Amino acid sequence: MKIIRKQSFLYKCEVLIVMVFALSLLIAVSVVAETKAEKQAEVRKQADQALAKLYKARPSTRASIKAAAGYGAFSNFGMKILLAGGGKGQGIVFNNQTRKVTYMKMLEVQAGLGFGVKKFHTIFVFETRDALNQFVNSGWEFGGQATAAAKSSDKGGAYQGAVSVMPGVWMYQVTDKGLALELTGKGTKYYKDDDLN
């Protein structure tokens, strides 16, 4: 009698475990089914917030970005503990002519002594369609330590507070304190997000 009750109890436990597992799979599948659209919406929202912060810090950039071939807006999060650090982020590249949105990722690797957490936004302005297409299709990478003081361009300050990072591409960085005076890209790579495109 005790053996039968024990087997019955074990059977009920097994059934319960299988049911919980099946339920968790159903929940996971429904979440995955919604995830792409939700993630795209979240990345677009973060890009809009990055642009809003830039426009607040430097209102003249609104006209420059509107006149450009397109722009990229990224939200980045980084952490550094002792000798190593890194960061990641997501964003979009928007083609002003075609209105096409390309979702992209950012990855950063840092070396050197330090400690801290940073959150910042990076905005790229593409003067030409070729510069935009090269960034989107080939990705882009800062090698080693790339730091430059933000300065005005030779074009009457059209990109004041930005750094020219490659021909036809200007970069701004915005923190919670406003426009960064020094722009850095330490082993940073930008590339297409295959999951969201």
Side-chain angles (χ1 to χ4, degrees):
M1 192 74 169
K2 286 183 181 179
I3 294 173
I4 294 173
R5 283 185 188 164
K6 193 173 183 181
Q7 288 175 343
S8 176
F9 175 74
L10 289 174
Y11 176 75
K12 287 179 183 178
C13 287
E14 288 174 2
V15 169
L16 184 61
I17 289 170
V18 169
M19 288 176 63
V20 169
F21 181 70
L23 184 60
S24 65
L25 279 177
L26 285 173
I27 291 169
V29 168
S30 66
V31 168
V32 169
E34 299 171 357
T35 301
K36 183 174 179 179
E38 289 176 354
K39 282 186 178 179
Q40 287 175 330
E42 181 61 29
V43 172
R44 285 194 309 273
K45 179 181 170 185
Q46 290 175 4
D48 289 343
Q49 290 171 350
L51 281 177
K53 288 191 177 207
L54 176 62
Y55 294 155
K56 183 178 179 183
R58 185 83 59 190
S60 62
T61 57
R62 188 183 295 269
S64 301
I65 289 174
K66 189 175 181 181
Y71 65 86
F74 293 82
S75 290
N76 309 320
F77 175 81
M79 184 179 292
K80 190 162 193 180
I81 300 172
L82 299 177
L83 295 174
K88 66 178 188 172
Q90 290 180 301
I92 63 166
V93 171
F94 185 79
N95 185 318
N96 282 338
Q97 184 179 10
T98 65
R99 317 299 288 172
K100 181 181 177 185
V101 173
T102 303
Y103 296 89
M104 298 191 74
K105 289 184 177 182
M106 176 281 257
L107 203 57
E108 178 185 53
V109 177
Q110 293 183 21
L113 192 59
F115 182 81
V117 174
K118 63 177 180 175
K119 186 177 179 184
F120 60 96
H121 303 285
T122 303
I123 294 94
F124 293 94
V125 183
F126 305 101
E127 292 184 287
T128 66
R129 190 171 54 189
D130 288 343
L132 185 148
N133 289 337
Q134 183 179 347
F135 186 94
V136 167
N137 296 322
S138 302
W140 183 70
E141 192 169 347
F142 261 131
Q145 170 86 26
T147 303
K151 60 186 177 186
S152 188
S153 75
D154 295 333
K155 299 181 177 185
Y159 297 106
Q160 186 177 10
V163 168
S164 176
V165 292
M166 60 189 274
V169 182
W170 293 86
M171 182 179 84
Y172 296 91
Q173 280 184 351
V174 184
T175 67
D176 289 337
K177 296 179 181 178
L179 200 61
L181 296 177
E182 281 201 343
L183 285 75
T184 62
K186 305 168 187 175
T188 308
K189 182 175 183 178
Y190 293 84
Y191 57 98
K192 271 187 182 180
D193 186 336
D194 293 332
D195 294 331
L196 295 186
N197 284 305

